[in-house]
Amino acid sequence: MSAGSAAAGAPARRAYAYGVTAAMLLLMLAPLFRRPPVDSFPLSTYPMFSRGRRGASTTVERAVGVDSRGKRRPLPPRLVGSEEVLQAKATLANGIRQGPRATRALCRSIAARVAEQDGFADLVAVEIRTDTFDAVAFFEGHETPTDAKRHARCKVRAR
């Protein structure tokens, strides 16, 4: 290949490179113009970020301690019966699902563990609850449930 023919091929390679780049850009932008919008891999409109949020509420089964003034505070998972958060959640959910008798028994066992622990002497009762929170508001500091159901309440026995 001579120097003259290599120089003649350079504009063609450059045009090819520009063409491939333009085609890739068009492919990446194409989902933005589809009606109705379609989301697919590898070209995505990222609907989890681009569509409005329907609701940001979450429901949580939890055990809370209640002090003599009626103030509630969540109890750590280890007092429910496991260091693992999800196992503690499952324990609470199973107790609630099994009915009032099982929920009261679980509440009494949690209250017994609370009575044995330092740092919880101010608590006079334990509640097992299902609370619903607005997740966005919760992380903005509004930690009051939007809906609450108390399944059991039991006294913490003095040491």
Side-chain angles (χ1 to χ4, degrees):
M1 182 181 282
S2 71
S5 64
R13 282 194 305 271
R14 186 173 294 144
Y16 176 76
Y18 286 138
V20 168
T21 300
M24 294 305 288
L25 284 171
L26 288 173
L27 280 173
M28 290 183 67
L29 294 174
L32 296 174
F33 303 105
R34 294 179 86 177
R35 296 290 178 246
V38 176
D39 185 49
S40 67
F41 179 82
L43 305 173
S44 178
T45 57
Y46 299 96
M48 70 291 273
F49 302 115
S50 63
R51 292 196 184 122
R53 202 173 24 232
R54 288 192 187 115
S57 67
T58 188
T59 301
V60 180
E61 296 89 4
R62 63 189 194 146
V64 297
V66 184
D67 68 17
S68 60
R69 296 180 316 261
K71 186 173 180 184
R72 292 177 178 83
R73 73 177 198 240
L75 296 174
R78 65 183 160 79
L79 295 178
V80 174
S82 173
E83 290 287 337
E84 297 295 327
V85 174
L86 293 179
Q87 288 177 357
K89 181 194 180 315
T91 299
L92 291 166
N94 287 337
I96 293 167
R97 189 172 34 257
Q98 290 173 11
R101 181 176 289 162
T103 307
R104 283 191 302 273
L106 176 60
C107 186
R108 286 190 297 272
S109 70
I110 294 169
R113 284 190 284 278
V114 167
E116 296 170 356
Q117 296 289 313
D118 292 331
F120 296 96
D122 62 321
L123 298 181
V124 297
V126 168
E127 293 180 353
I128 295 179
R129 310 167 54 87
T130 299
D131 291 333
T132 301
F133 297 92
D134 179 327
V136 174
F138 183 88
F139 288 108
E140 291 175 344
H142 308 287
E143 298 179 11
T144 303
T146 58
D147 189 36
K149 180 176 182 185
R150 185 173 73 190
H151 301 282
R153 181 182 171 105
C154 52
K155 291 182 181 178
V156 175
R157 304 287 178 216
R159 295 178 207 189

